[in-house]
Amino acid sequence: MTRALFIVDVQNDFTEGGALGVAGGDDVASRISAHVAAHRHEYAIVVASRDWHDADNDNGGHFAAGEPDFVQTWPVHCVAGTAGAEYDDHFDTSAVSHHLKKGQGKPAYSLFEGETDEGVTVVRLLEEHGILDIDVVGIATDYCVRASALDAIAAGRHVRVLTDLVAGVAAETSDAALAEIAHAGGELTKTVD
C-alpha cells in the first residue's frame, strides 16, 4: 500500500463562522470523516495539516497590518492554541496518523511547509512509507489545497484531488486552481461511496 491521504486545514477558522470561513466547510469536514472511516484501509498514512500561526507577530506579513488584500495578506486566523486553529468539530481525527503544523511565524500554504511536533517533514514521511500516490482533500481549494497538490506533483507523486471533499473561497478561483492542478498532471475525481 503506497497511497496517502492529505487532509488540508480542516479548521474552525476556515469553516462556517470562522475568521476566514468558506461556505460548505462543515459539510466537507463531515464528508472527509465519512470517507476516512470507509477507506482508511486504502491509505498507508493519513496526514492532516493545520495553519498554526504565532500570536505575537504578523507571521512574516501574512497577517494584514491594515486592510487585508486576501491574496498575500489576511485577517488574523488560526492562531496557535486558539479555538480557531483547532480542527473543525465535524472532522473526526481518530484515524489521522500524522498531524502537521504550518505557518509558525511565516506565511505557509502547502502542507509540505509543515512538520509534526517532532520536526518530521512531509517529504520524510513520503520517503519512509514509500508513498507514490496521494489523495488530497480539505480547505481551501483555491489556496492551501492547490499549493499542497502542486507540491505533491512536483515531488514526483501521482496526485488525485477528490473534488467532492474540498471547499474553496470562490467558485472562479477554485475552478482555476483545479484546472492548474490538472494541467500539472494531477487527476480530478470524485469519491465513490
Side-chain angles (χ1 to χ4, degrees):
M1 182 169 38
T2 63
R3 182 174 298 280
L5 178 64
F6 284 0
I7 304 170
V8 181
D9 299 359
V10 181
Q11 297 171 261
N12 289 324
D13 268 349
F14 296 139
T15 55
E16 286 84 354
L20 288 170
V22 301
D26 286 338
D27 184 51
V28 160
S30 295
R31 285 188 279 125
I32 289 170
S33 295
H35 177 75
V36 175
H39 298 278
R40 178 61 180 95
H41 63 282
E42 297 173 17
Y43 298 107
I45 57 174
V46 174
V47 180
S49 68
R50 282 187 286 176
D51 266 8
W52 200 254
H53 295 304
D54 294 346
D56 60 353
N57 62 72
D58 70 0
N59 291 272
H62 193 60
F63 290 172
E67 281 296 312
D69 65 15
F70 296 96
V71 177
Q72 298 295 324
T73 62
W74 305 90
V76 173
H77 64 279
C78 298
V79 172
T82 67
E86 295 305 321
Y87 291 118
D88 184 270
D89 291 342
H90 296 90
F91 173 34
D92 178 0
T93 62
S94 60
V96 174
S97 57
H98 300 86
H99 298 271
L100 303 176
K101 293 174 181 169
K102 59 188 180 65
Q104 299 178 301
K106 59 184 182 287
Y109 295 91
S110 173
L111 180 144
F112 279 77
E113 297 174 89
E115 60 183 32
T116 68
D117 285 341
E118 297 75 35
V120 178
T121 65
V122 177
V123 171
R124 184 167 150 203
L125 289 174
L126 296 176
E127 291 170 354
E128 286 178 354
H129 295 276
I131 301 299
L132 302 175
D133 302 288
I134 300 170
D135 289 348
V136 181
V137 302
I139 302 169
T141 310
D142 29 2
Y143 292 95
C144 297
V145 169
R146 172 193 167 275
S148 300
L150 291 173
D151 280 354
I153 293 166
R157 280 17 185 228
H158 175 260
V159 173
R160 296 189 310 182
V161 175
L162 306 181
T163 58
D164 53 331
L165 300 181
V166 295
V169 174
E172 184 177 320
T173 51
S174 293
D175 290 347
L178 293 174
E180 183 181 2
I181 292 164
H183 184 4
E187 180 183 346
L188 308 178
T189 189
K190 290 190 176 187
T191 60
V192 181
D193 283 338

